[in-house]
Structures are given as structure tokens and as C-alpha cells.
Amino acid sequence: MLRNLLSYWPLLVLSLWSCRKDVQGFYPYAPSAQDLGNLLSEKVPNASTHSTFTFSFLANDITLETPSGARVFLVDTDHLFSNVGSGQPLLCSTCPDLKIEITEVLDKGDILARGLNTIGDSGTLFESGGMVRVTASCSGQQLALLPGRTMKIQIPNKNQQNGFFVFNKIPSTTGQGWISSNQKVFKAEWPLGNGIQLGYEVLAENLGWVACGRPVTDPSSLFCVELPSGFADQNTLAYVVFKDQQIVAPLQFALGQNKFCYPKTPAGFQVQLVAVSKLGDQFWLGKAETEVGTNTTFPLSTQQLTETALLNFVKGL
């Protein structure tokens, strides 16, 4: 009996070694998805989408305007902010170094590149009419809006439509999700150069990210993209990007299936499927256009390309 057991040991060792080789073969490179996300956020957005304004002892109301035409209104500035650390009111007229930073996301390429999305309440997607982040600090100390105060923000958008609401970003380490405030967004117009700028006006109750969005109420179902073996969440970022709406949903990896899926994808919409990958020093792109069906899995092939070509593709979404 002992002789029979010993005779099985070489086969067992070979079997375990074979399994180990298979696992190594599936992840032949160091994890790179985080590095890829950092590359997109650094290289894709135009520098003009981030504006910084500084003031010394600001004592009057002021309207801040960005290169794209977005406007942020600072009103009653001595009763607007509090110190995040202490919670004490901060009088702008006593601050020697007030800094206001405004970041705008007005197109789908920037939504994807900045690690954002248009995922609303309970995973329901919404169409974005524009996203803006406003932060404030005094001598390096972060500020918040005082309770009961709001900040008026105007977001440029020439395609004004009804049915938009204010969405606030959910604080999360994963970067996922927004929640509707159920506060309606107003259509607005304001002077810009030699003409009139059309857009939306929101009243933000907090600093940070705010978006105007219209929930997509069409029937939805699971939608997946199937990639070749070796492309997984360790090295790939995958998305469904709607063709005619400002909607971007990151797809989640289904372990063991080589699939990236989103559980509540509205059916009947034309979409572009996007998978960006980095394997070692090589960049790969999977792209295709299709119409979302019901419980669909779409096989997506990938092609190798340069870093510049990958960045240009994302910029053009």
C-alpha cells in the first residue's frame, strides 16, 4: 500500500506545477490597471478644464468664470464657508490666501479619463448635462459650505433639455456612483464674449463634485463584453459609452469568465464598447459599436497600438 502511495507523488507534483503555470500564464504582467487610470487622468483632460482662483481678504461678492464659460458665484463670502477640521465659520475677509479650484467635465472622454461615470441611484444610469467640482481652501486648510448655504453654479451646454436633476458624488474609494438630490436643474443663459451662453444652473449644497443629470428610465438588463484570455481587471479598464448621450458606465470584471459587465444597461441604445489595456510596455484597445439588447454578451477583440494613439482615441469619444 505504501509503495502505491509513493508512486502517485510524481504525478501529484506535476499536476500542482501545471496548475501554477496556468495561473501565471493568465497574469503574465504586473498589475497595470491603476497605472493606466493614472495615465488617462493625467494626459486626456485639457489643462483648461481646471481653473484656480486666489484672493487675499476677499470682502465682496464675485463671479468666477472658467475658459469654457462655466460660472461659480461667491455670495456673502463672510458667511459662506467653514473650516473642515474645526467646523468653525471662516470669514473670507480675514483669509490672506483663499484658493478656489474649479474642475469641469463636459464630454465623455473626460468622464472616462477622470475615473468618473454616470451611475445614479441604485445603479440606474443618467445622462450628464455637465459635471463640476468646486473646492475651497484658506492657507491650505480645506473649507466646506456652511449648513444652509448653497453655491450657484452655471454649466455651459447648448443642448438644453428638460428633466435634469442635481446629482452629488458619493464619497467612495472606488469612485463609483452619484445620488440624486431630487432638486431640479434650471435652464439658464448668460453673456459670453459677443454672444449668449446656454446651459444649466444648479444650486450646490456641498463643495466637491456636482452634476446635472437626467435618469434613463428605459428597461435595462445585464450587458457584458467578452475579451480574449489574459485581459482582466488587473490590466484592463472597460466601458460602455453611449453614442448619442453623455452616458459612460464602467464595466465590472466577472472573475473566471473573461467578461466585463454592467447589470442595468438600458436596452435599445447605440453604444460604443471600449476596453483599454496595458500589458507590460504595450497598450491595447478593444472597440466596437453595437445596440444594447437584452442579456447580451458581446465578443470584443483587441489590437495593439501606441500610447499616443490610445490617448487620442479616448480624447475623441
Side-chain angles (χ1 to χ4, degrees):
M1 180 69 177
L2 178 61
R3 180 180 302 172
N4 290 337
L5 288 173
L6 291 174
S7 67
Y8 282 115
W9 271 104
L11 295 176
L12 179 60
V13 170
L14 288 175
S15 175
L16 291 174
W17 181 254
S18 175
C19 290
R20 181 180 178 185
K21 287 177 64 180
D22 286 343
V23 172
Q24 289 179 335
F26 189 73
Y27 296 112
Y29 301 103
S32 57
Q34 183 63 52
D35 291 340
L36 186 57
N38 293 339
L39 175 69
L40 296 178
S41 65
E42 179 183 350
K43 299 291 187 178
V44 171
N46 191 291
S48 65
T49 61
H50 181 82
S51 303
T52 300
F53 303 85
T54 57
F55 305 95
S56 296
F57 309 111
L58 179 66
N60 56 286
D61 297 351
I62 191 169
T63 301
L64 311 180
E65 186 166 346
T66 70
S68 75
R71 303 204 300 179
V72 173
F73 294 77
L74 305 183
V75 179
D76 192 12
T77 54
D78 270 353
H79 303 90
L80 184 60
F81 298 118
S82 64
N83 188 291
V84 169
S86 66
Q88 295 298 311
L90 185 285
L91 281 65
C92 290
S93 61
T94 66
C95 178
D97 181 21
L98 177 67
K99 180 186 291 186
I100 308 293
E101 296 184 73
I102 304 172
T103 305
E104 306 157 79
V105 176
L106 305 179
D107 59 53
K108 290 176 281 191
D110 274 13
I111 294 176
L112 186 156
R114 290 192 182 276
L116 298 169
N117 55 62
T118 58
I119 300 174
D121 305 63
S122 302
T124 299
L125 299 180
F126 67 87
E127 178 180 358
S128 172
M131 304 174 178
V132 173
R133 178 178 62 190
V134 180
T135 63
S137 63
C138 175
S139 299
Q141 297 296 312
Q142 289 299 118
L143 304 178
L145 289 182
L146 281 168
R149 291 302 310 270
T150 59
M151 177 177 288
K152 184 168 73 173
I153 303 173
Q154 292 177 332
I155 305 173
N157 192 318
K158 63 181 180 180
N159 299 314
Q160 292 176 324
Q161 299 180 61
N162 297 319
F164 279 78
F165 295 87
V166 178
F167 281 78
N168 296 300
K169 190 77 172 63
I170 301 173
S172 170
T173 56
T174 64
Q176 299 292 320
W178 302 73
I179 187 167
S180 174
S181 67
N182 294 318
Q183 176 186 345
K184 290 185 177 181
V185 169
F186 304 100
K187 294 180 182 178
E189 59 180 49
W190 56 95
L192 180 66
N194 296 324
I196 296 295
Q197 175 67 61
L198 300 179
Y200 297 111
E201 183 174 292
V202 303
L203 295 177
E205 298 179 346
N206 300 285
L207 297 184
W209 283 108
V210 64
C212 53
R214 181 170 60 179
V216 181
T217 58
D218 299 68
S220 63
S221 63
L222 179 70
F223 182 80
C224 297
V225 169
E226 185 173 15
L227 290 172
S229 178
F231 292 90
D233 57 341
Q234 297 268 329
N235 54 36
T236 299
L237 304 173
Y239 307 85
V240 56
V241 181
F242 285 57
K243 289 286 292 181
D244 300 318
Q245 294 84 19
Q246 297 278 28
I247 302 175
V248 176
L251 304 178
Q252 301 302 310
F253 185 61
L255 187 63
Q257 301 182 47
N258 269 30
K259 293 181 181 181
F260 288 80
C261 304
Y262 192 74
K264 292 185 177 182
T265 311
F269 287 84
Q270 292 292 324
V271 298
Q272 184 164 18
L273 309 176
V274 177
V276 293
S277 308
K278 185 181 181 185
L279 281 67
D281 294 328
Q282 300 175 347
F283 292 93
W284 296 77
L285 172 66
K287 62 176 182 176
E289 295 184 11
T290 187
E291 179 178 307
V292 178
T294 302
N295 299 316
T296 300
T297 296
F298 189 98
L300 186 63
S301 60
T302 61
Q303 60 179 345
Q304 186 179 347
L305 74 177
T306 65
E307 175 184 318
T308 299
L310 179 69
L311 295 173
N312 287 337
F313 171 81
V314 175
K315 291 178 182 178
L317 287 174

